Amino acid sequence: MYERDLNMNIIERLTKKIKISTAQIKATINLIDQGATIPFIARYRKEVTGNLSDTTLRQFAETLKYLRNLEERMKTVLETISEQGKLTAELEAQIKNVETLSELEDLYRPYRPKRKTRASVAREKGLTPLAEYIKQGVKLADYDTFLASFINKEKGVLTTDDALKGAQDIIAEEISDIAAYRQFIKRHIYQTSFIVSKEIKPDEKDTYGQYKDYKEKLATIPPHRILALNRGEKVKALRITLEYAISPIEARIARDYTENNAFSDLITVTITDSLKRLVLPSVENEIRADLFSKAEDASLIVFKRNLTSLLLYPPLKGQTILGFDPGFRTGGKYALVDQFGNPLLTGVAFLVAASSAQIARSKQEIVDILKKHDVNYIALGNGTASRESEKELRAIINEHKFPTKLFIVNESGASVYSASKLAEQEFPALHVELRSAISIARRLQDPLSELVKIDPKAIGVGQYQHDMNQTKLGESLHGVVEDAVNTVGVSLNNASESLLLYVAGISKNVATNILKHMQTNGPFKSRSELKQVPQLGPKTFEQCAGFLRIDDGKEPLDNTAIHPESYAAAKHILKVAAINLVEDDESTKEQALNKVNKEDILNEFKLGRETYNDIIEEIKRPGRDIREDVPHVELESEVMSISDLKVGMILDGTVRNIMDFGMFVDINVTQDGLVHISEIANTFIRDISEHYQINDVVKVKVISVDVNKQRIGLSIKQVNR
């Protein structure tokens, strides 16, 4: 009945929210409904969508899902109210124009089936006529007789006071159900209230000390503070309330009820009861939930941006790496991996907190490994005993003049992987800590390939993620990993199942079948062989083929991001330009390609300009890794722990986490230091990520140290003072 109007409404709303044309909206919805994945649409359907980015497409898909859920709820509400015979044209229009589920539920509230309430009990006692009489406000001469007529001992109305109280309960509930009042109250609270926190109990580290007697305007409180206050409330360290004037709300409602009403005093009391008992607790909960949802969304943006930086960090391919998971009592676990990430040997080295004989044996063990295997890098985890282990490893390297470089690797989530079923299947004979050492080595070798094995929520580049809606968080971060994997592309014959699962269109069954096909038939020689894989049909092939690379196959184009659907055009371009895709260098190709008549190619092969440009870029640099060749910087410092820090020290550090209020920098003392946003630059910084990314190396000045609370304050802008 309402479907056509509501569908048109979705397109209009998407146009406003995403700020793109109606044609783009319709085309993108059509692609999504046909089962196209976001990476495929972003890369291979640019002309169809008007070149929407993967970020915009993710936002589009999330908004479309929300609006469709809103539409379904609208239909249910409209049908329910219609069945009650209470759907007016005005109410129908109001319902169809709501922007959020919250607004919709406010309108539906008077018509929703209610549980037993004081008002419903009063109605059962026959007190509705008395409530209507009071609202009309005209006290007739026979009022006392009229009032006494509601006394009914069988129904529990023993006195006229009982009757009046029941009538007040009915009026109070009616007031609480009026959507216009609730909307006014929400606006009033949002615009005028303060959020107030009081400390219930301090913890040893005084985590929430700054909020023990705190007050801030609700309209301006930043998202990260909402999350902090919610966490404090959740762990029962803080009590959070909203503080605002109730009198303007009472006055607004009283205008509709008390003017020229003989029972104005009675109604005034009823309004106050309705607000305090029914309306304000509910509205405050909705506001708190809305604030948290918005803070959650803001935190998710930061989380996704940080995760993208971490996933796309440049790899150290083709290197032999010694992964080292440091420890005190149980020693440091090490694993040597070859250029393909395969473990060559594993063991335990006691470099710290052990007897001198034990340390000497372990040092010699490391020396022998570095000598025998020509180790290019040592990847040292940044956990417990990291700084102490670093000192000993550097001493070994310097004493023997090994060319080996040492890098500190963020090991967040490594323990999650090492204890997982996946790690157990990969290394069934190895102890958990040894698997962790392998993972640390591989993180330096190829961060993306290793990090996909870990739940994105465990990688540690966000804040308060455990408080968030886990389904929403999981879906968002899965999208980030999916975009990163497909942006880089996957070497098909070297891919793990974990990596394949993030390739556009590939399900778990298909990923398993791809690996089984390789075990049976050997490496893939061409993308077209994918069509032989069970359950990998034409639609899946269309979605995944362009993102899977074959390094040394029959068809050179299979080692590019050019989709097989464009091979005919690509081969024609190569022929016309008279260039060899593999053998000619980029400069030679560029000169030859400049002579190709672009318009002829576009017309002959019905190509879009964006697709043509992408083909040209891939021809220039086939097999390229889009991750920038950023140098890995080796950091050294004499500072070993937080107790060694002194205010005024200038140190090098690595950005580990970026939030909207500042960024956390690893200065190799186990506890990361905070560079508050106000300490980043002498100019105004709106968005830190526009200036820094995760894994950037920065020079910082220590401006505060609190050993007891394990807090370190750092500054970038004060470095040269």
Side-chain angles (χ1 to χ4, degrees):
M1 175 178 177
Y2 306 102
E3 189 168 347
R4 187 177 65 82
D5 288 344
L6 291 172
N7 276 333
M8 289 299 293
N9 208 9
I10 280 182
I11 292 172
E12 292 169 9
R13 289 163 188 259
L14 276 167
T15 305
K16 292 176 184 176
K17 287 179 179 290
I18 311 296
K19 307 297 183 187
I20 57 178
S21 70
T22 301
Q24 287 175 292
I25 296 283
K26 290 180 178 178
T28 306
I29 290 176
N30 189 45
L31 285 168
I32 290 173
D33 288 346
Q34 288 175 0
T37 61
I38 298 302
F40 176 80
I41 296 171
R43 173 74 193 189
Y44 298 112
R45 293 295 179 264
K46 292 179 179 178
E47 290 83 12
V48 178
T49 67
N51 201 18
L52 297 181
S53 68
D54 51 7
T55 303
T56 301
L57 286 166
R58 292 282 174 198
Q59 182 191 1
F60 183 99
E62 290 171 7
T63 307
L64 177 63
K65 181 179 179 181
Y66 180 86
L67 291 175
R68 282 180 166 171
N69 288 339
L70 179 61
E71 176 191 62
E72 286 303 311
R73 183 60 179 155
M74 278 182 186
K75 289 178 189 175
T76 301
V77 168
L78 287 167
E79 287 167 5
T80 302
I81 299 175
S82 180
E83 287 168 3
Q84 295 174 9
K86 298 177 181 178
L87 185 63
T88 64
E90 181 184 5
L91 179 57
E92 182 178 342
Q94 284 181 302
I95 289 172
K96 287 182 178 180
N97 287 321
V98 297
E99 297 287 337
T100 65
L101 282 165
S102 176
E103 291 175 43
L104 179 61
E105 295 305 326
D106 281 347
L107 289 171
Y108 181 48
R109 181 179 293 273
Y111 310 97
R112 184 191 295 123
K114 288 183 170 62
R115 58 180 176 80
K116 190 172 185 178
T117 64
R118 281 165 48 172
S120 66
V121 170
R123 291 188 188 97
E124 290 170 3
K125 292 178 178 180
L127 298 175
T128 301
L130 178 57
E132 292 300 319
Y133 180 85
I134 291 170
K135 285 193 297 180
Q136 289 171 7
V138 180
K139 185 180 284 190
L140 302 176
D142 61 349
Y143 167 69
D144 291 337
T145 304
F146 177 71
L147 181 59
S149 70
F150 290 97
I151 295 174
N152 187 326
K153 293 183 179 180
E154 290 181 3
K155 292 184 176 181
V157 185
L158 305 180
T159 66
T160 54
D161 281 345
D162 290 342
L164 287 172
K165 286 177 181 176
Q168 285 178 284
D169 287 339
I170 293 171
I171 297 170
E173 186 171 275
E174 287 179 0
I175 290 171
S176 76
D177 281 343
I178 295 174
Y181 291 158
R182 299 181 76 87
Q183 289 162 10
F184 167 78
I185 292 167
K186 284 178 186 176
R187 285 196 302 273
H188 173 74
I189 294 176
Y190 268 121
Q191 293 167 4
T192 68
S193 73
F194 290 85
I195 189 164
V196 178
S197 70
K198 298 289 183 183
E199 189 174 60
I200 298 174
K201 58 174 184 179
D203 61 7
E204 290 182 5
K205 293 184 179 179
D206 197 23
T207 308
Y208 302 99
Q210 69 184 102
Y211 299 117
K212 63 184 177 183
D213 191 13
Y214 188 80
K215 183 176 181 179
E216 184 167 3
K217 216 170 171 13
L218 194 67
T220 57
I221 187 168
H224 69 269
R225 209 121 66 215
I226 289 291
L227 295 175
L229 291 171
N230 274 37
R231 168 64 66 82
E233 184 178 50
K234 187 176 182 180
V235 300
K236 296 181 169 51
L238 301 174
R239 180 181 294 107
I240 310 299
T241 56
L242 298 181
E243 185 180 284
Y244 53 90
I246 192 175
S247 54
I249 302 172
E250 292 173 323
R252 166 65 186 87
I253 299 172
R255 285 203 304 269
D256 295 338
Y257 282 88
T258 60
E259 190 174 351
N260 299 320
N261 189 301
F263 304 99
S264 60
D265 291 344
L266 187 68
I267 289 180
T268 298
V269 172
T270 304
I271 290 170
T272 301
D273 171 61
S274 176
L275 289 172
K276 291 184 176 180
R277 181 169 58 88
L278 301 174
V279 184
L280 296 180
S282 170
V283 168
E284 285 184 17
N285 285 338
E286 288 178 26
I287 288 173
R288 290 284 309 278
D290 184 49
L291 283 171
F292 178 76
S293 179
K294 289 176 180 175
E296 185 180 56
D297 288 342
S299 184
L300 262 178
I301 291 170
V302 176
F303 203 151
K304 290 190 288 186
R305 193 163 52 213
N306 290 347
L307 182 58
T308 298
S309 297
L310 195 61
L311 292 170
L312 296 182
Y313 192 64
L316 285 172
K317 291 182 178 179
Q319 306 294 325
T320 301
I321 298 177
L322 180 66
F324 200 94
D325 186 2
F328 283 117
R329 184 177 56 84
T330 57
K333 284 70 179 177
Y334 67 78
L336 183 70
V337 303
D338 65 16
Q339 59 182 322
F340 303 108
N342 300 312
L344 301 174
L345 56 88
T346 60
V348 180
F350 291 86
L351 299 182
V352 295
S355 68
S356 56
Q358 203 171 23
I359 290 174
R361 284 195 300 272
S362 291
K363 283 185 175 181
Q364 188 58 51
E365 195 175 336
I366 298 297
V367 168
D368 293 342
I369 292 171
L370 297 182
K371 277 183 179 178
K372 182 179 178 180
H373 296 278
D374 294 325
V375 177
N376 303 112
Y377 298 92
I378 295 176
L380 175 63
N382 66 339
T384 303
S386 175
R387 291 295 286 118
E388 294 78 4
S389 300
E390 180 191 5
K391 182 179 179 182
E392 299 303 327
L393 289 169
R394 288 196 189 280
I396 290 171
I397 291 170
N398 294 334
E399 181 182 345
H400 295 273
K401 295 182 170 55
F402 289 124
T404 308
K405 293 184 180 295
L406 187 147
F407 290 109
I408 307 296
V409 176
N410 187 347
E411 62 181 46
S412 295
S415 60
V416 175
Y417 160 73
S418 59
S420 68
K421 288 184 179 179
L422 176 61
E424 187 177 355
Q425 291 169 358
E426 204 170 356
F427 308 111
L430 291 182
H431 195 271
V432 169
E433 283 84 357
L434 295 174
R435 297 175 195 159
S436 181
I438 295 170
S439 181
I440 288 170
R442 287 175 168 179
R443 283 194 186 198
L444 186 60
Q445 200 169 51
D446 191 342
L448 180 60
S449 294
E450 193 60 23
L451 290 172
V452 294
K453 300 175 183 177
I454 303 168
D455 183 341
K457 291 179 284 187
I459 294 177
V461 288
Q463 198 174 39
Y464 305 112
Q465 59 262 40
H466 298 298
D467 297 336
M468 296 181 186
N469 180 308
Q470 295 301 293
T471 300
K472 181 178 178 181
L473 177 63
E475 288 176 353
S476 294
L477 298 186
H478 183 279
V480 172
V481 182
E482 185 179 38
D483 289 339
V485 168
N486 289 284
T487 297
V488 171
V490 171
S491 176
L492 177 57
N493 291 320
N494 298 313
S496 64
E497 183 175 300
S498 301
L499 202 55
L500 288 172
L501 285 172
Y502 283 104
V503 175
I506 292 184
S507 65
K508 183 170 179 55
N509 285 342
V510 171
T512 301
N513 290 340
I514 287 173
L515 296 177
K516 285 180 179 177
H517 185 278
M518 282 194 282
Q519 291 170 1
T520 304
N521 304 288
F524 285 91
K525 298 294 189 298
S526 69
R527 280 171 170 165
S528 60
E529 288 181 21
L530 284 164
K531 297 175 181 177
Q532 300 169 14
V533 175
Q535 299 183 30
L536 201 157
K539 186 68 178 179
T540 301
F541 180 81
E542 177 194 56
Q543 295 297 305
C544 74
F547 302 110
L548 296 170
R549 312 279 195 271
I550 298 176
D551 305 335
D552 189 21
K554 299 175 183 176
E555 171 55 69
L557 290 173
D558 286 347
N559 195 30
T560 71
I562 299 171
H563 197 281
E565 67 187 9
S566 298
Y567 276 8
K571 288 178 179 179
H572 184 76
I573 292 170
L574 289 168
K575 182 179 178 181
V576 171
I579 55 178
N580 185 294
L581 180 67
V582 178
E583 296 177 4
D584 291 339
D585 61 31
E586 186 175 344
S587 176
T588 301
K589 290 176 183 176
E590 190 157 4
Q591 290 177 21
L593 288 168
N594 287 337
K595 298 174 183 177
V596 174
N597 190 314
K598 180 177 180 177
E599 297 304 320
D600 286 349
I601 303 294
L602 295 178
N603 293 329
E604 182 174 349
F605 292 93
K606 302 295 187 289
L607 282 183
R609 294 183 183 277
E610 294 291 345
T611 300
Y612 176 87
N613 292 337
D614 287 343
I615 291 172
I616 296 300
E617 288 304 309
E618 290 297 317
I619 287 175
K620 288 179 184 177
R621 292 183 288 171
R624 69 192 177 108
D625 190 328
I626 61 93
R627 291 172 284 186
E628 293 179 0
D629 189 20
V630 177
H632 291 255
V633 180
E634 187 179 3
L635 300 180
E636 291 192 54
S637 171
E638 293 302 316
V639 175
M640 298 295 294
S641 70
I642 189 171
S643 58
D644 295 329
L645 292 174
K646 298 288 184 290
V647 172
M649 280 183 170
I650 306 294
L651 302 168
D652 287 325
T654 306
V655 177
R656 294 299 184 199
N657 209 346
I658 297 175
M659 309 304 295
D660 52 1
F661 57 87
M663 62 187 189
F664 291 95
V665 175
D666 179 359
I667 52 174
N668 288 344
V669 296
T670 304
Q671 179 66 40
D672 291 344
L674 172 64
V675 182
H676 190 268
I677 192 169
S678 63
E679 289 295 331
I680 288 178
N682 289 311
T683 55
F684 174 73
I685 298 289
R686 183 184 63 84
D687 186 347
I688 299 172
S689 63
E690 292 177 355
H691 304 268
Y692 296 100
Q693 291 187 333
I694 284 185
N695 284 326
D696 279 355
V697 172
V698 293
K699 198 169 285 293
V700 294
K701 182 177 182 178
V702 180
I703 58 174
S704 65
V705 181
D706 189 325
V707 177
N708 293 330
K709 294 181 182 179
Q710 293 286 290
R711 292 178 183 171
I712 305 166
L714 303 173
S715 174
I716 292 175
K717 74 179 186 181
Q718 294 186 38
V719 166
N720 295 320
R721 287 186 186 177

